Each structure stands twice: as C-alpha cells, then as structure tokens.
Amino acid sequence: QVQLVESGGGLVQPGGSLRLSCVGSGFTFADFPMSWYRQAPGKERELVGVISARDDNSNYVDSVKGRFAISRDNGRNKVYLQMNSLKSEDTAVYFCNLLSNYWGQGTQVTVSS
C-alpha cells in the first residue's frame, strides 16, 4: 500500500533554514507529482507547493515563494522541501501528499526564538 513518511522537522529560529524529506513507497514514485501541505494550529491545511513528476517544475503558494523550494530524487523515492528565511508564521505540521488522497504522518516545524 502507499506509504509516505516525512522527516526533518524541528525547532528553528526566525531566519533559519530546515530541509524536510519525504520517502514514498507502494507506488511508482517517478510517475506522480508530489505536494507539500502544512497545517498551522487552528487553521485549515493548506497547499505549500507541488513538483511535477519528471521535469522538476514546481509551483508554490505566494506566502513561501522565494523562500521554499521543492526538489525530488526519483531514484531514492524522495521529495524534499527546503525552507529558508523561516518566519514564525511558517510554524505548522508539514505533510507530503500524493494525488490529494495519500498523506504522511506529518512533521512538526516550529519557528521561534
């Protein structure tokens, strides 16, 4: 069955960086676009960005453009979210997603001094 497992979250100071990873299994990873979502306390889950299956085209929500970057390694079945210039409002649980149907367990990112 499809499994997505995120890692790499933690506590970081404002202005800092984190790199999240997600490894997928149970499907042909290279055939599918992959997405990152986040859910902040008391807020709805929102799409952060998406990367295409093979040509590395990516799109992002306006609030993270220029700060976040999604990449993937199809040989390792992994997708990454590089987060730079982090702000307190980036604090959330981050999830990777396949086809809007399959979710990982999430990884907590806390941006605080």
Side-chain angles (χ1 to χ4, degrees):
Q1 72 276 22
V2 172
Q3 282 195 313
L4 300 170
V5 180
E6 303 94 337
S7 61
L11 173 65
V12 62
Q13 291 187 343
S17 297
L18 276 176
R19 187 195 196 204
L20 307 183
S21 300
C22 171
V23 59
S25 60
F27 62 104
T28 306
F29 186 86
D31 285 351
F32 295 95
M34 294 296 296
S35 303
W36 283 96
Y37 283 73
R38 66 185 179 184
Q39 187 165 20
K43 294 189 176 182
E44 293 188 356
R45 195 170 295 188
E46 69 166 348
L47 176 65
V48 174
V50 59
I51 187 168
S52 60
R54 296 183 184 272
D55 60 10
D56 287 345
N57 284 331
S58 55
N59 290 285
Y60 305 91
V61 68
D62 285 348
S63 59
V64 308
K65 282 181 181 177
R67 300 189 298 121
F68 289 12
I70 301 174
S71 60
R72 64 191 297 160
D73 183 341
N74 287 340
R76 296 175 184 263
N77 285 6
K78 285 190 169 183
V79 60
Y80 304 98
L81 179 64
Q82 177 67 44
M83 305 185 294
N84 300 324
S85 302
L86 282 160
K87 305 175 182 180
S88 58
E89 52 263 44
D90 295 317
T91 294
V93 179
Y94 284 72
F95 302 86
C96 67
N97 174 269
L98 168 67
L99 297 176
S100 300
N101 283 332
Y102 301 97
W103 301 91
Q105 82 288 352
T107 186
Q108 175 71 47
V109 172
T110 303
V111 184
S112 175
S113 55

